[in-house]
Amino acid sequence: MTAELAEVPTEGISEDISAALFADLKKMAPAMTAFRYEMFARRIVAAEYGRSDAVEWAMEWWAELEAAKKEHSAAAEVCMQELQAMRKRMHDDFVAGIVENPRYQAFLDTVENPAELKSNEPYMAWLSEVLALYAANKPKGAAAKDGEVGGASAFIRRYADANLSQRVRKARLRVVPPKI
């Protein structure tokens, strides 16, 4: 027996490793039986006290957790880079006066320099004004219908086309092919 005791390491796993393993065990708990959970917990405690087979098992589990964390970090970094690239493209498009929202696009078509916009306040004021004109010009007694949203959007586009900025007028003149 003394030979076996000599082979058992006197140091167990660190508190940090133990805490990480218990945290992962808690995540897995809903999918485990109570007995299985208890066995895992007891094995972590045995690893804390330095039982060699438990230490080896715990260190393998911890290594898997660290590898997964590094893999997750790398994937998160790639995601963050893609997100930043998308934000830059969207900002560059906005500065050029191009957006996906048709109502906002109508507003930007009336603005001479979109890069000078620092908030949505001018858009909200413009949209309120245009929608008030739409409400004032629609037939009296017209009931709200599903097509009213489309009618308002069409009115907004017509209003924007009638009040285009010089920037958009020049761009549209370059795009229109000459008549033959």
Side-chain angles (χ1 to χ4, degrees):
M1 254 194 210
T2 56
E4 289 178 321
L5 291 176
E7 294 174 26
V8 176
T10 57
E11 293 183 26
I13 60 174
S14 70
E15 288 181 22
D16 293 342
I17 293 173
S18 176
L21 296 180
F22 272 117
D24 194 44
L25 180 60
K26 286 180 183 178
K27 289 179 191 172
M28 297 185 308
M32 301 175 108
T33 64
F35 177 76
R36 184 175 171 96
Y37 181 88
E38 183 180 355
M39 291 299 105
F40 271 66
R42 286 179 181 229
R43 201 149 192 206
I44 294 170
V45 171
E48 288 175 342
Y49 283 98
R51 198 177 85 202
S52 62
D53 65 317
V55 169
E56 183 179 329
W57 170 83
M59 293 307 291
E60 287 177 7
W61 184 6
W62 183 72
E64 289 174 9
L65 289 176
E66 288 298 305
K69 190 187 307 181
K70 287 179 183 175
E71 185 177 312
H72 177 71
S73 294
E77 181 63 31
V78 168
C79 261
M80 187 56 76
Q81 290 172 353
E82 290 174 357
L83 179 63
Q84 288 172 345
M86 181 184 71
R87 283 181 177 166
K88 182 175 179 350
R89 277 192 311 275
M90 289 176 69
H91 179 266
D92 292 346
D93 286 348
F94 179 81
V95 168
I98 302 167
V99 293
E100 290 182 19
N101 181 330
R103 289 183 175 197
Y104 208 96
Q105 183 63 58
F107 164 69
L108 286 180
D109 288 349
T110 65
V111 174
E112 200 57 53
N113 189 359
E116 291 177 357
L117 295 173
K118 301 300 179 203
S119 73
N120 281 333
E121 187 177 322
Y123 165 67
M124 298 306 279
W126 179 87
L127 184 61
S128 296
E129 178 185 317
V130 175
L131 288 175
L133 283 172
Y134 172 71
N137 290 323
K138 73 178 183 178
K140 302 286 186 231
K145 299 176 188 162
D146 293 336
E148 189 169 322
V149 172
S153 294
F155 182 84
I156 291 168
R157 184 69 255 170
R158 285 191 308 271
Y159 181 86
D161 287 342
N163 296 290
L164 290 176
S165 66
Q166 291 299 320
R167 166 186 64 85
V168 175
R169 287 182 186 165
K170 289 177 185 176
R172 286 189 178 178
L173 286 175
R174 283 180 269 169
V175 173
V176 176
K179 293 180 181 179
I180 300 177

